[in-house]
Amino acid sequence: MSRHLSHEPVFTVLVVCTGNICRSALAERLGRAYLDETLGSGAWQVRLTSAGVGAVVGSAMHPDSSLVLQGYGGDPSGFVARQIVEDMAIDADLTLTMTRAHRRRVLELAPRALSRTFTLREATALVGLVGDGADLPGDLLADRARALVREMSVARSRRAVAHGDDIADPIGQPVEVHEAVGAAIAEALIPLLGRIVELSPATDAA
C-alpha cells in the first residue's frame, strides 16, 4: 500500500527540472506569487516546492530567470536549489516536471508516485479534460485538489500522445530564451493553479 495517504490540510506541489535554478525555480516562485495574490490569507493551503534531478545544490536562482520572474511579479530572494530525493516525490500531492525525461527520472526514484506525476503541460491539458463538472469531494481545498489529481490520472488514457510537452532548458542561452521559457511556464502553470484555487471553499460560488 502506498504510504501517500495524506489528510493534511495543505496540498503540496513539487516542481522538477534539471538544475533547479531556472525552470522549476521560476515556476515555484511564480506560482507562489499567484497563490498569494489569489488566495490571500488562505494561501497557506497550497505548498509549492521545487527540486532538480541534477541540481546545482545550494545555488540561487539563475540571474536571467530571476529577471524574468520579477517581470511577472515574483520574488527570487532566498531561493536555494536542492536535489530531488525519493521522499519528495512520495510525499507530494502533485509533481510537475518540465520534460518527459524529468518525469521518468522522478518515477525511477518513486514508482508509486505515477498517478500524481505529470509534465507541467500534460497536467494542464488533463485538467481541461477533467472539466468543471467532475465530482471533487471534500470540505478542504487540499482534499478536493487531491480528488482533482485522481481524476487527472484517470483522464490520462483519454489524452492523445503529445510530443510538445517538454519545456526546454534555457541554461546558457540568451535572456530572450529565458523570457520565452518563462512565458511557456506561465501559460501552463497559471491555469492549472487557477483550477486548484477554485477548489478553495472561500472561492465557491455557492
Side-chain angles (χ1 to χ4, degrees), residues 108-119:
E108 286 170 4
L109 287 172
R112 291 175 295 172
L114 174 62
S115 63
R116 306 186 308 277
T117 304
F118 312 87
T119 69

Side-chain angles (χ1 to χ4, degrees), residues 127-199:
V127 163
L129 285 178
V130 170
D132 296 330
D135 180 25
L136 303 175
D139 295 325
L140 303 175
L141 179 152
D143 293 332
R144 297 166 82 174
R146 291 180 190 116
L148 174 63
V149 172
R150 290 192 292 271
E151 293 295 329
M152 289 162 59
S153 181
V154 171
R156 211 175 217 156
S157 63
R158 307 203 310 267
R159 185 181 182 233
V161 176
H163 300 290
D165 278 354
D166 294 355
I167 295 177
D169 192 349
I171 199 76
Q173 300 296 315
V175 68
E176 290 80 11
V177 176
H178 287 260
E179 290 170 347
V181 166
I185 291 170
E187 182 180 23
L189 182 65
I190 298 306
L192 174 60
L193 292 181
R195 183 70 178 92
I196 292 172
V197 165
E198 289 172 0
L199 302 178

Side-chain angles (χ1 to χ4, degrees), residues 18-22 24-25 28 50-52 54-62 78-84 88:
T18 302
N20 192 211
I21 57 172
C22 293
S24 61
E28 176 192 328
S50 64
V56 190
V57 176
S59 292
M61 195 182 302
H62 189 285
F79 182 86
V80 178
R82 60 181 191 156
Q83 176 69 25
I84 189 170
M88 293 179 191

